[in-house]
Amino acid sequence: MKTQAKADLALLMCTLFWGSSYLFMQMGLKDLETYNLIGVRFGIAFLLAAAFFHRRLLRTNRKTLLHACILGAILFGVFATVTNGVRTTTASQAGFLVSLTVIFVPILSILLRNKPPKRVFFGAGLAMLGIGLLTLSTELQISQGDLLCIAGALCYATHIIVTGRWAGESDTLQLGIYQLGFTALFGLICSILFETPKLPHTSESWLAVLSLSILCSAIGFVVQTVAQKYTTPAHTGVIFSLEPVFAALFAFLIAGETLSARGYVGASLVLISVLIAEIDIKKWRRSKQSGHASAS
């Protein structure tokens, strides 16, 4: 198997794990409060990743630690909003709303004077229509959980942009692992200030926390960092766009969650908007034509 194909399969595995995370968050929140869950989840993830790559981490400089601290703060914002969001919305809806990150990234890039292609604006308009169908009630109101998940997508887009700017200035593996530690630290601090920190005390909670820690955080972030060295951003974006599909699938298989007919239409529009924003049809056609030409 080619190296890129292996990398794509590794990213697909990450996407599968992340798709399950919304359901595991709902399970964990039955026993732990929001910041407590974030602190425990990322604390375990950091300890596991740090133990595995401890020699690599010993050579970390102050600049990398500063960048990791800032990224950890942004990542904490992502999961504080999303974890609170899944309290009052379904796991499947949360998955589709957080996938709006793909739309927000190029739009936020305008602030860095990077004009996104026209297809992104078309995708954004389609996404807004999909969000309306997916989330608005008959009274034309959107739930607080849905708003928090959209805010989480905005935070995650910010995290991706900032990571992209700093990735060339630091060891990406060190950056990825230490940000897990700082995210756990911020979660623990907020839990001490606003909650009563504790460890899970039911088997269901431990299953949720360990799945979030090992599969979705420790393995997910490390594998993503390594795999992206061997595949293209276009491949990565399209693979990651499958996350809400996996979220809806897990929610249906394990929790029996279903959407209304209007909700499925809205979810489909959100997914299509993500694909439109990610896939450059013209570039894809040119690559196919050049491939056929070289083959002949």
Side-chain angles (χ1 to χ4, degrees):
M1 187 183 294
K2 293 182 179 180
T3 302
Q4 181 171 336
K6 292 180 180 178
D8 288 345
L9 284 175
L11 290 173
L12 184 63
M13 178 186 70
C14 292
T15 307
L16 183 68
F17 291 159
W18 290 332
S20 70
S21 67
Y22 304 98
L23 190 62
F24 287 131
M25 277 189 275
Q26 286 185 331
M27 291 168 59
L29 288 169
K30 293 178 182 178
D31 188 29
L32 301 177
E33 295 181 90
T34 299
Y35 302 129
N36 194 172
L37 178 59
I38 293 171
V40 173
R41 167 186 177 173
F42 283 94
I44 295 174
F46 170 71
L47 292 175
L48 289 173
F52 199 78
F53 296 101
H54 64 279
R55 292 183 181 178
R56 185 82 164 262
L57 297 182
L58 293 175
R59 300 191 296 271
T60 309
N61 56 43
R62 291 183 180 180
K63 185 177 182 180
T64 299
L65 286 175
L66 175 62
H67 287 174
C69 179
I70 295 172
L71 287 174
I74 301 173
L75 201 60
F76 171 73
V78 172
F79 287 96
T81 50
V82 174
T83 306
N84 270 316
V86 297
R87 285 183 179 275
T88 53
T89 190
T90 65
S92 50
Q93 279 193 202
F96 281 103
L97 293 174
V98 174
S99 72
L100 291 171
T101 297
V102 178
I103 301 292
F104 289 145
V105 167
I107 291 178
L108 287 178
S109 297
I110 296 175
L111 299 176
L112 302 175
R113 297 180 181 178
N114 295 327
K115 186 178 179 181
K118 292 180 181 179
R119 69 177 188 277
V120 171
F121 293 102
F122 179 73
L126 194 62
M128 292 304 295
L129 177 59
I131 290 172
L133 291 172
L134 181 64
T135 63
L136 289 177
S137 64
T138 53
E139 293 81 17
L140 297 181
Q141 293 179 333
I142 186 171
S143 74
Q144 182 182 9
D146 291 332
L147 283 174
L148 286 170
C149 288
I150 294 171
L154 192 59
C155 289
Y156 196 31
T158 303
H159 179 270
I160 290 172
I161 291 172
V162 176
T163 301
R165 295 202 71 176
W166 287 344
E169 303 175 19
S170 306
D171 183 308
T172 52
L173 192 59
Q174 294 174 353
L175 199 62
I177 294 175
Y178 274 116
Q179 75 171 347
L180 298 178
F182 281 112
T183 303
L185 178 62
F186 293 131
L188 179 60
I189 291 172
C190 286
S191 184
I192 292 172
L193 291 175
F194 306 112
E195 302 169 347
T196 303
K198 63 178 182 179
L199 290 173
H201 66 272
T202 67
S203 56
E204 182 182 357
S205 297
W206 271 114
L207 172 64
V209 167
L210 290 177
S211 298
L212 289 169
S213 302
I214 299 171
L215 301 179
C216 304
S217 300
I219 294 177
F221 278 101
V222 173
V223 170
Q224 177 198 359
T225 303
V226 175
Q228 281 197 247
K229 295 180 181 179
Y230 303 103
T231 190
T232 64
H235 276 225
T236 303
V238 173
I239 292 169
F240 283 176
S241 70
L242 293 172
E243 182 179 326
V245 177
F246 289 134
L249 181 62
F250 278 110
F252 173 72
L253 293 177
I254 299 176
E257 281 187 10
T258 57
L259 298 173
S260 63
R262 191 183 70 171
Y264 280 114
V265 173
S268 299
L269 289 178
V270 170
L271 182 60
I272 292 169
S273 73
V274 169
L275 292 173
I276 288 173
E278 276 297 331
I279 302 174
D280 187 339
I281 298 295
K282 292 181 180 179
K283 186 176 180 180
W284 180 77
R285 284 178 178 174
R286 287 195 299 267
S287 65
K288 285 291 184 182
Q289 288 172 355
S290 61
H292 288 310
S294 59
S296 58

